[in-house]
Amino acid sequence: MESILHYLYQYVKFGKFTTVFLVVIGAVIVLKLLLKPRLMIPKRALLISILLLGLFLRIGWLSYSAHTPMTEWKTGHMLENDWINVHAIELAEHGTWFHGPNGLPSGRRPIGYPMFLALFYKILGPRLAVAWSLNLLLYGVTILFLFGIARRLFDDNVALITALLFAIYPMSIYSIKLLTDEHLFLPVWYGGLYLLIRMLDGRKVPLDWLWLGIIFGYATMIRTHPIFMPFVVGLAFWLMKRPVKEVVAKAILVALVMNLVNLPWVIRNYRAWGVPVLYTATGSFIYAQVNSTATPEGGGHIPLEGEPDYSPELDTAIKSGNEGVIHQISNRLMKQWIFQHPRQFLELGPSRLLDFMCFNRKSGVWAIWHQYYPGSFDPEKPLPENLRQFFEESAFAFYYVLFFSWILGMILLVSRWKTIPVVTQMGLLLLGSCFLFWFMEHMVIYPDRKYRFPLEPLMLISASYFFLYFSCPAVIHTIIKEISKKRQLKKQILPDAGN
């Protein structure tokens, strides 16, 4: 409990980011009061302008950043940005399916984005300009789906604010030069969520379970987090008041299709290691963070001989180099540790989640250090320390404002729950379930804040609702009027109480 309180304390400390948050809120209110209630610019033109603004900022970062992903296996430090590019090139030019630098089959990488990239490398050639152009295209698709989700849940105004915030979101801008799964994962996952929300709004989709299974199956092939989507689909049909049998059947069918999409990869893994591995062979990486050596920040290692929880079986598997067997044993040991140490896990898990969602400077800005580590950028164009600090502080401050606006937006929505449309209620419950499952996963998974990024644009929706509501002159007038009424009532009551 002491550990949980330690991480919770970080959320209530006041600092310069608190000042930034208050200044932003004040600026939003003043801008709304100064501007006309209705802008005369058509909504479509505003959306296009916002999209182009984001495109301009990302092209600017592409031009500025001196980062270049590696194109072949090299000794020394290589991050996933390099792994993805090498895998895509090998797949496009040689048909090599995800082998490591030692030539043995690798199961560490989710294969969706490298396969997508390899397809275009095959057609247009393995040039980095192709990858960066694809990232810009995927940004455009993402902002359209994000706008569509916000619009279906609320209205054009909330949707436009959401799109604007995403267009200028520092982490999205900084990451545009990285070859990272999130560029493809966001539009695919958001596309599936948008389709589900359209269905909540009455849209009829023939063979809905098939299309949802394909979309979420591919999303899981890109980033394994959304393995929980069959439960979310079941929730969606339950909210639509479908019969229980249909709810269960749709969830099962979506789960089956999701796994069918990944079946070729499962077969490849079985042939390589002789054991079934559904998505990625990352059990050892996860188990290293879920045992008696683990800390909430992600510190920990697989127990060594002489340490608690040491497993000779796992040690033998690691020495064999069989990634599939290592994965299988690690997963079993992780579950075993959780069941044998429930109290320790119930302290580790929430502490890890609090650290995962926090805005402290613990690990820097992942999109910056992924680009500027030794050997990954032009040494003649280093990132000056003052600029690095500016870029990082901008990202921290933006997320701080986003986090608390998201929290306040959710509080506001709960307080006005009975007044919002039923479709909005259902859509919010749907997104809320995604957050809940994601949080449950990250009570176990290494708390790398890169894995938080897919949630952040969805948080912008609630934050935008908060900005719009509290910047409305009518609302401000009502709040002032209510405060004035309470003061007058208090003045009337106090003299009577004295008599």
Side-chain angles (χ1 to χ4, degrees), residues 59 62-63 67-69 71 85 89 113 116-117 120-121 124-138 176-179:
I59 292 173
L62 283 173
S63 302
H67 172 72
T68 302
T71 57
N85 196 43
I89 292 172
Y113 181 64
F116 175 82
L117 190 57
F120 286 89
Y121 276 174
L124 302 172
R127 298 190 298 272
L128 288 172
V130 172
W132 292 330
S133 298
L134 287 174
N135 287 351
L136 291 173
L137 177 64
L138 293 170
I176 200 68
K177 201 163 190 178
L178 293 171
L179 308 187

Side-chain angles (χ1 to χ4, degrees), residues 55 58 113 116-117 120 131-145 166 176 180-188:
L55 198 62
R58 284 156 180 79
Y113 181 64
F116 175 82
L117 190 57
F120 286 89
W132 292 330
S133 298
L134 287 174
N135 287 351
L136 291 173
L137 177 64
L138 293 170
Y139 149 74
V141 178
T142 300
I143 203 171
L144 292 177
F145 277 130
F166 181 68
I176 200 68
T180 185
D181 305 292
E182 282 70 22
H183 293 301
L184 182 60
F185 177 71
L186 263 61
V188 174

Side-chain angles (χ1 to χ4, degrees), residues 145-198:
F145 277 130
L146 195 60
F147 174 85
I149 292 171
R151 187 184 187 190
R152 288 287 165 182
L153 291 179
F154 298 106
D155 55 31
D156 283 342
N157 294 323
V158 172
L160 285 169
I161 296 172
T162 302
L164 176 61
L165 292 176
F166 181 68
I168 63 173
Y169 197 33
M171 294 303 290
S172 177
I173 296 170
Y174 301 158
S175 66
I176 200 68
K177 201 163 190 178
L178 293 171
L179 308 187
T180 185
D181 305 292
E182 282 70 22
H183 293 301
L184 182 60
F185 177 71
L186 263 61
V188 174
W189 190 41
Y190 292 176
L193 291 174
Y194 176 71
L195 179 59
L196 267 181
I197 292 171
R198 287 293 304 272

Side-chain angles (χ1 to χ4, degrees), residues 226-335:
I227 53 174
F228 55 76
M229 287 311 297
F231 297 102
V232 178
V233 171
L235 173 63
F237 282 94
W238 181 76
L239 290 171
M240 289 186 277
K241 298 182 178 179
R242 301 289 180 82
V244 175
K245 288 183 179 180
E246 183 182 356
V247 171
V248 174
K250 296 285 188 179
I252 292 174
L253 285 170
V254 168
L256 289 173
V257 174
M258 285 176 64
N259 284 287
L260 187 63
V261 170
N262 287 275
L263 186 59
W265 183 240
V266 176
I267 294 171
R268 176 270 195 187
N269 290 341
Y270 190 81
R271 287 178 174 175
W273 303 309
V275 294
V277 175
L278 292 181
Y279 294 104
T280 56
T282 53
S284 60
F285 295 92
I286 298 174
Y287 176 55
Q289 311 301 323
V290 189
N291 61 65
S292 298
T293 71
T295 64
E297 293 90 348
H301 58 267
I302 292 176
L304 305 173
E305 188 172 359
E307 293 182 330
D309 309 316
Y310 169 72
S311 168
E313 182 187 14
L314 179 57
D315 193 22
T316 302
I318 291 172
K319 290 175 181 176
S320 75
N322 187 315
E323 289 192 38
V325 174
I326 296 169
H327 170 80
Q328 193 176 56
I329 296 173
S330 296
N331 279 345
R332 173 163 49 82
L333 292 174
M334 176 187 65
K335 295 171 187 175

Side-chain angles (χ1 to χ4, degrees), residues 167 203 213 238 322 344 484 488:
R203 170 84 177 264
W238 181 76
N322 187 315
Q344 192 173 342
S484 178
Q488 291 295 328

